[in-house]
Amino acid sequence: MAGVAGGNDFQWCFSQVKGAIDEDVAEADIISTVEFNYSGELLATGDKGGRVVIFQHEQESKNRPHLRGEYNVYSTFQSHEPEFDYLKSLEIEEKINKIRWLPQQNAAHFLLSTNDKTIKLWKISERDKRAEGYNLKDEDGRLRDPFRITSLRVCLAVPQTCLILSMTLCDNFSKIDCCTFQVPVLMPMDLMVEASPRRIFANAHTYHINSISVNSDHETYLSADDLRINLWHLEITDRSFNIVDIKPANMEELTEVITAAECHPHQCNVFVYSSSKGTIRLCDMRAAALCDRHSKFFEEPEDPSSRSFFSEIISSISDVKFSHSGRYMMTRDYLSVKVWDLNMENRPVETYQVHEYLRSKLCSLYENDCIFDKFECCWNGSDSAIMTGSYNNFFRMFDRNTRRDITLEASRESSKPRATLKPRKVSTGGKRKKDEISVDSLDFNKKILHTAWHPKDNVIAVAATNNLYIFQDKIN
Amino acid sequence: MLGRGVKRKWSCLEELEAEVVAEATITEEKEQSGKDGQEDEAGLLIDPSKSVMSHLQQRQRVLGLCLEKLQRYQAGMELSLRRSVLLINTLRQIQEEIRSDGVGTCTSDSRLSISAVHADDSCLLRDDFREDVPVTCPGCAEGDGESLSLSPPLSPEFPSQEAIDFPDQQKSLPAAAISTFSDAVNAMGYLSDLALDDIFEDIDTSMYETSDLPSAWATGSLWPVSVSLWPDEDVKLRSSSHSSTGSLQSCLVDLNDLDHIMEILVKS
């Protein structure tokens, strides 16, 4: 795949935006997770109100083949409800922290969605046919006497009727009823998409769940909270294996928490988890039942010249993602994205600065709590490019081959159909060029924390507060 | 810009903080531009005392923000464990720096850093604060400090109940301080899986609403706690006889430090 910047490479243009346009954003509508399924046909979003909305990619129309199809709402359901923990007098938020799709095995789609405490397996299935002709009613619509239904009688008078001989005996068999028994027929109906919870994995996490990840064996998955990681079987809800536990005996000695975890895409025994101190541990489940001892430990030595009060906070890793190949992994801390080779633990192979101009503003960002924002990151399908979000509704893409990067904005202003997105730039020096935006003008309330890249095509989904933007490349 | 080495009176604090807020960007950029403010990259010498001052300003601002954010937890706003841990680590880092900077010295800057934390910690200016505070505070004597983590609004009242039982007010002060801090540390989830909470469920703490507490317990008491946070070998030795639930070792205040701080505050 070619690069992400302009020129001969792809040009990103606006495709769609979902969500209300109101200035007043309801807290419940804030999107909290975005995820494409394995084929890219479905795109799921979760919000703070505990709802999941799934969009489906419509096939391209034959009239306009140059347009990729659009994503339209496929299913909406309430995944989680707010709960109350009576023991601790705490509300358990219904906010969906993560959605992960299962690989499709039959006509139905399955996904895992989780809030702080409970993971649910949802089945999304289509129904476009309805059975009609149940023998429950007479021809004139009256409900039949059940007695007459269950005792089948051979009706010889009406040979066209489909006859089913029943072995049920009936006392009143002496009466010969012209009870015609018909086999129900399937009739087409309007497509109905149903979502039903198939499994509920509850009561396994004392702390807040931050990650779930489906294993490559498609039978197990892991869930991680601040201090523990559990391994589940998708069929078994009443127990899970605890595979990582970093809770100290004395809680006052706690200095580090788990921030994200992911299973290796191909090796079902390998997973990684990141910490608030900027370290990543790779564990092998074959080594021991409890993977407290890591197999590999990834940490970049700190640059002593840039040490400040905020060094630890900005080193806290907010997301970790394996590449599709499984050879690399990517971590996101507050100011940068780092690509690590799994075979090299002492430093990343690539580091990309997302918004280095914020380094001098760390104290203010600490004051308004923005320094604690958790940005996610994602790979494209071929692992040649990576994407992550920033403030002011900006998001950044980095081409690993050409080393070029681009900053784009998800805004209503640049939302004309198929309009090419103009690259944005933040001015860091004294002189501000035209079309540049100064650091002090950035809107820190408009943050892009969640982005997703289609597994095969150059289509991206960007969540900007309560709106979901879909951009695609311009096919010439 | 602030002058160098000038003693700050109490009333100047708010001006100081306002100035610090306004000049945060400038001081931060100065911080970043030089190693300990001695030189910037262009080779120009920055006045060492000015840069030290700006470093101190930032440190004290960050310290204040840290405690303020942790205190928000007491007000009922739940902090995530990740955030609590990051805040507490930052707090520890600053405290270590303060300690290594000014052990035994009573400079105006250290006074600033101490007094900048709480404006109304008048209760700390008690003359009767004595050095011979018993080693075991009521919270530890109970053998279960974690029981204080019942819920944010209730927790400060638990040690206050202890204060009623023990007439010695000085003992209850560190206990209250430690307990409120421990709750920030515990952040509602740390020790939730301990069954020992059940023992204290039936304690009626409805009388001891936060608003009734002296301001020191709600706000000012955190300072002595932050002093005691360091892993102090003496403290650990003394507390080794306590129950194994890891109860408040840190509530055994480093008495010499507290006494020293008291002297500073009383003198100012």
Side-chain angles (χ1 to χ4, degrees):
Chain A
M1 248 179 234
V4 297
N8 294 333
D9 307 327
F10 288 114
Q11 291 199 325
W12 291 100
C13 52
F14 172 82
S15 174
Q16 295 169 272
V17 59
K18 308 282 188 190
I21 311 178
D22 290 341
E23 282 299 314
D24 269 341
V25 178
E27 176 102 2
D29 292 336
I30 296 175
I31 298 171
S32 51
T33 183
V34 184
E35 186 82 357
F36 281 99
N37 74 338
Y38 281 76
S39 64
E41 182 207 353
L42 298 178
L43 174 61
T45 62
D47 63 22
K48 275 194 171 183
R51 291 164 302 201
V52 172
V53 180
I54 301 177
F55 301 92
Q56 185 188 40
H57 187 238
E58 304 285 342
Q59 292 304 316
E60 293 91 2
S61 65
K62 289 171 189 168
N63 301 333
R64 297 190 292 180
H66 60 280
L67 259 188
R68 282 223 178 82
E70 287 194 335
Y71 281 87
N72 295 319
V73 177
Y74 180 64
S75 173
T76 304
F77 57 93
Q78 186 77 33
S79 171
H80 287 73
E81 299 274 1
E83 288 171 33
F84 195 75
D85 181 338
Y86 295 98
L87 194 63
K88 291 182 244 173
S89 294
L90 269 188
E91 242 195 54
I92 299 172
E93 276 186 7
E94 67 274 31
K95 173 170 77 92
I96 308 294
N97 291 336
K98 283 288 184 325
I99 289 173
R100 288 290 183 263
W101 290 93
L102 266 59
Q104 191 175 10
Q105 288 168 331
N106 52 35
H109 298 276
F110 288 86
L111 61 79
L112 287 168
S113 73
T114 184
N115 68 349
D116 284 337
K117 295 286 185 181
T118 306
I119 307 138
K120 295 188 183 180
L121 177 68
W122 287 88
K123 176 181 178 183
I124 296 105
S125 48
E126 290 183 7
R127 190 194 287 262
D128 61 354
K129 290 184 180 55
R130 177 177 63 229
E132 279 179 19
Y134 286 108
N135 293 279
L136 298 171
K137 289 184 182 172
D138 275 338
E139 280 155 8
D140 49 7
R142 279 183 310 171
L143 284 173
R144 281 195 183 146
D145 184 358
F147 166 75
R148 295 180 65 200
I149 301 170
T150 53
S151 63
L152 297 173
R153 294 164 179 79
V154 177
C155 185
L156 302 165
V158 188
Q160 292 91 343
T161 308
C162 184
L163 302 175
I164 296 173
L165 299 175
S166 162
M167 307 303 283
T168 310
L169 293 173
C170 160
D171 290 339
N172 290 350
F173 196 64
S174 55
K175 253 181 151 182
I176 294 177
D177 276 308
C178 269
C179 166
T180 59
F181 185 77
Q182 292 175 328
V183 175
V185 179
L186 292 177
M187 303 290 292
M189 60 177 256
D190 290 338
L191 177 67
M192 192 168 71
V193 181
E194 298 173 319
S196 58
R198 305 302 285 181
R199 305 270 187 277
I200 296 180
F201 306 91
N203 301 321
H205 285 281
T206 309
Y207 306 99
H208 289 184
I209 297 174
N210 52 56
S211 313
I212 48 174
S213 179
V214 181
N215 210 344
S216 53
D217 61 9
H218 302 162
E219 283 186 356
T220 57
Y221 74 94
L222 63 76
S223 60
D225 66 27
D226 292 315
L227 297 179
R228 298 191 176 102
I229 302 179
N230 292 334
L231 184 72
W232 300 84
H233 192 283
L234 283 164
E235 299 290 329
I236 299 169
T237 58
D238 61 354
R239 77 195 85 135
S240 66
F241 289 104
N242 175 243
I243 51 177
V244 173
D245 188 341
I246 64 167
K247 180 170 182 276
N250 179 2
M251 277 301 277
E252 284 164 5
E253 290 166 17
L254 181 68
T255 57
E256 195 174 7
V257 297
I258 296 171
T259 52
E262 201 183 38
C263 292
H264 192 278
H266 307 305
Q267 298 170 32
C268 59
N269 54 298
V270 172
F271 66 95
V272 291
Y273 67 94
S274 61
S275 81
S276 55
K277 283 194 170 173
T279 64
I280 310 105
R281 289 169 177 81
L282 183 143
C283 300
D284 186 338
M285 288 190 266
R286 297 172 302 188
L290 191 61
C291 299
D292 277 357
R293 290 180 60 198
H294 51 263
S295 298
K296 294 194 184 186
F297 182 76
F298 298 84
E299 186 179 28
E300 184 172 26
E302 192 191 356
D303 177 13
S305 66
S306 64
R307 178 138 184 86
S308 73
F309 298 118
F310 313 108
S311 295
E312 184 180 319
I313 299 179
I314 63 169
S315 74
S316 171
I317 291 173
S318 50
D319 195 16
V320 64
K321 290 264 170 53
F322 278 105
S323 65
H324 291 92
S325 63
R327 224 194 109 184
Y328 299 97
M329 68 176 174
M330 165 169 60
T331 58
R332 175 71 157 98
D333 51 69
Y334 189 63
L335 295 180
S336 68
V337 179
K338 295 176 182 172
V339 175
W340 302 77
D341 186 323
L342 293 188
N343 297 316
M344 186 158 74
E345 298 168 52
N346 58 350
R347 61 177 176 80
V349 290
E350 293 153 32
T351 302
Y352 301 94
Q353 299 301 333
V354 181
H355 37 217
E356 180 69 12
Y357 46 78
L358 294 183
R359 193 180 286 272
S360 57
K361 307 281 179 197
L362 288 178
C363 201
S364 318
L365 294 166
Y366 178 77
E367 194 168 7
N368 61 15
D369 282 343
C370 281
I371 206 175
F372 297 107
D373 286 337
K374 292 187 287 182
F375 292 93
E376 292 175 9
C377 52
C378 58
W379 298 85
N380 72 341
S382 62
D383 298 337
S384 64
I386 57 184
M387 171 169 64
T388 189
S390 178
Y391 293 104
N392 208 70
N393 278 356
F394 287 173
F395 57 99
R396 303 260 285 139
M397 284 190 210
F398 303 93
D399 186 318
R400 296 179 63 213
N401 299 324
T402 64
R403 293 306 175 113
R404 283 197 289 197
D405 61 271
I406 190 170
T407 305
L408 298 171
E409 184 180 359
S411 73
R412 292 275 173 176
E413 284 77 34
S414 53
S415 303
K416 297 179 183 59
R418 286 170 282 133
T420 305
L421 293 180
K422 200 176 64 172
R424 304 303 306 257
K425 194 153 163 55
V426 177
S427 71
T428 51
K431 289 182 184 171
R432 188 176 73 87
K433 294 180 196 156
K434 189 189 154 198
D435 285 349
E436 283 187 358
I437 186 168
S438 72
V439 184
D440 299 311
S441 315
L442 294 174
D443 187 344
F444 290 95
N445 291 322
K446 292 188 183 171
K447 48 192 91 168
I448 291 181
L449 304 173
H450 312 285
T451 58
W453 205 313
H454 191 287
K456 298 182 176 62
D457 300 333
N458 276 344
V459 176
I460 55 175
V462 173
T465 317
N466 62 328
N467 291 136
L468 181 73
Y469 288 82
I470 299 174
F471 302 105
Q472 21 180 295
D473 66 57
K474 202 175 246 177
I475 308 177
N476 295 322
Chain B
M1 192 61 187
L2 296 163
R4 331 195 297 248
V6 175
K7 282 190 183 181
R8 290 282 175 270
K9 293 272 166 97
W10 199 272
S11 58
C12 294
L13 247 191
E14 285 169 357
E15 291 169 352
L16 165 68
E17 288 196 352
E19 282 176 334
V20 168
V21 170
E23 293 166 350
T25 311
I26 301 170
T27 56
E28 283 162 10
E29 283 168 354
K30 278 188 178 169
E31 285 271 324
Q32 300 301 331
S33 66
K35 294 171 187 173
D36 296 333
Q38 297 302 314
E39 285 188 30
D40 65 23
E41 284 167 1
L44 298 170
L45 275 174
I46 297 177
D47 194 337
S49 57
K50 266 190 185 166
S51 58
V52 166
M53 201 61 177
S54 64
H55 177 80
L56 286 172
Q57 283 168 25
Q58 191 190 50
R59 183 173 76 190
Q60 134 198 329
R61 178 167 173 224
V62 175
L63 175 66
L65 286 171
C66 237
L67 292 167
E68 183 193 311
K69 288 178 196 295
L70 286 167
Q71 277 182 328
R72 265 191 234 158
Y73 164 80
Q74 286 180 50
M77 198 175 105
E78 192 194 346
L79 275 183
S80 75
L81 193 66
R82 167 185 171 258
R83 202 177 285 206
S84 311
V85 167
L86 289 173
L87 287 172
I88 289 164
N89 288 350
T90 309
L91 195 61
R92 283 187 177 134
Q93 181 191 343
I94 293 175
Q95 287 170 349
E96 264 183 44
E97 220 183 89
I98 291 176
R99 182 172 216 191
S100 60
D101 274 354
V103 174
T105 62
C106 179
T107 64
S108 60
D109 296 328
S110 65
R111 195 175 310 176
L112 273 173
S113 53
I114 292 165
S115 55
V117 172
H118 300 288
D120 54 325
D121 51 357
S122 50
C123 292
L124 289 177
L125 299 176
R126 284 179 212 170
D127 298 334
D128 54 350
F129 187 86
R130 281 183 280 273
E131 214 174 297
D132 55 330
V133 170
V135 165
T136 55
C137 68
C140 288
E142 284 287 337
D144 176 32
E146 292 87 6
S147 62
L148 302 171
S149 65
L150 279 173
S151 65
L154 293 178
S155 49
E157 296 96 48
F158 184 72
S160 73
Q161 189 183 10
E162 301 300 316
I164 307 255
D165 296 337
F166 296 82
D168 189 351
Q169 284 265 323
Q170 288 85 33
K171 265 192 286 184
S172 64
L173 177 58
I178 290 5
S179 66
T180 52
F181 180 71
S182 286
D183 293 316
V185 171
N186 297 336
M188 297 310 295
Y190 274 76
L191 304 163
S192 55
D193 47 8
L194 283 176
L196 290 164
D197 283 352
D198 297 336
I199 300 171
F200 300 97
E201 265 178 358
D202 58 348
I203 291 174
D204 177 20
T205 54
S206 56
M207 287 168 60
Y208 311 116
E209 295 304 315
T210 314
S211 56
D212 293 338
L213 286 177
S215 60
W217 289 345
T219 60
S221 56
L222 273 179
W223 174 246
V225 177
S226 44
V227 172
S228 66
L229 252 193
W230 301 319
D232 184 327
E233 291 310 309
D234 293 338
V235 168
K236 279 185 179 155
L237 285 170
R238 271 181 267 147
S239 64
S240 59
S241 58
H242 287 177
S243 71
S244 61
T245 53
S247 59
L248 312 163
Q249 292 177 357
S250 61
C251 78
L252 299 173
V253 177
D254 189 336
L255 301 173
N256 290 332
D257 277 346
L258 261 180
D259 188 46
H260 168 67
I261 290 163
M262 284 310 304
E263 282 174 15
I264 295 168
L265 291 169
V266 168
K267 281 175 194 167
S268 70

